[in-house]
Amino acid sequence: MTVNPIPEGYHSVTPWIIGHDTAGLMDFLAAAFDAVDLGGRVVGPDGFIQHAEMRIGDSVVMMFDHPGWPPRQAFLRLYVPDVHETLEKVVAAGGTVVTEPTHLFWGDVVGRVHDAYGNLYWVHTRIEAVDEQELIRRLGDETFLKAMEYVQSSLYRPEA
């Protein structure tokens, strides 16, 4: 019998989010991004989550608590059908907008948010296919230059 080296439902890369309140993070991910708990949550005798998995869109994100480690930020890029609608859900779930939705030169509208756990999410919606000639033109277009300047000027800097 042949076994697929990548399990069904997973991709070649699966991110981990390591924190101090995985249960709270899971609630946030469910409310903000319609993430689905895949079950199999392992809780240790100390009450901390030792392993959990959630599906966001078509991707699995793994997570666990490690209160003995310093906080570690995850930076995740998510493609969603509608950036504006998703950012509204993220804010309603307790997230904070870092970058308002911005149309960038390669054809995505991008907004960034962070959660109360220190993680940053780049939320994208592809709105157009941009060929190489148009991409080069846009790199000199004042509108797209200002959009990129805005995004770069608001790069997330974690609190010290």
Side-chain angles (χ1 to χ4, degrees):
M1 175 168 75
T2 303
V3 175
N4 186 344
I6 300 171
E8 177 96 21
Y10 290 79
H11 297 283
S12 297
V13 176
T14 301
W16 283 93
I17 302 176
I18 304 166
H20 298 168
D21 182 8
T22 297
L25 173 65
M26 293 175 78
D27 291 342
F28 171 79
L29 293 173
F33 302 115
D34 298 323
V36 176
D37 186 342
L38 296 179
R41 186 184 305 198
V42 178
V43 180
D46 55 6
F48 291 107
I49 294 176
Q50 296 175 340
H51 180 86
E53 298 182 17
M54 296 190 86
R55 183 173 306 284
I56 303 173
D58 67 353
S59 299
V60 174
V61 178
M62 295 183 181
M63 58 205 76
F64 65 90
D65 290 318
H66 201 301
W69 288 0
R72 297 194 171 346
Q73 297 172 319
F75 285 59
L76 300 177
R77 181 183 202 176
L78 291 82
Y79 274 96
V80 299
D82 185 324
V83 163
H84 298 88
E85 179 181 298
T86 299
L87 264 56
E88 287 178 17
K89 287 179 66 174
V90 169
V91 169
T96 303
V97 174
V98 175
T99 305
E100 294 294 335
T102 305
H103 183 189
L104 296 175
F105 66 91
W106 63 85
D108 286 3
V109 173
V110 179
R112 289 179 296 172
V113 293
H114 69 88
D115 64 23
Y117 309 95
N119 303 302
L120 180 70
Y121 306 86
W122 297 61
V123 183
H124 291 239
T125 298
R126 176 66 44 96
I127 61 167
E128 60 183 332
V130 180
D131 64 27
E132 185 176 355
Q133 183 177 356
E134 177 62 9
L135 192 68
I136 292 168
R137 185 198 70 74
R138 288 180 177 193
L139 288 171
D141 182 312
E142 190 66 28
T143 300
F144 288 105
L145 290 172
K146 285 183 179 184
M148 185 57 82
E149 182 180 317
Y150 162 65
V151 169
Q152 290 177 337
S153 72
S154 65
L155 288 176
Y156 178 67
R157 292 174 180 82
E159 297 176 21

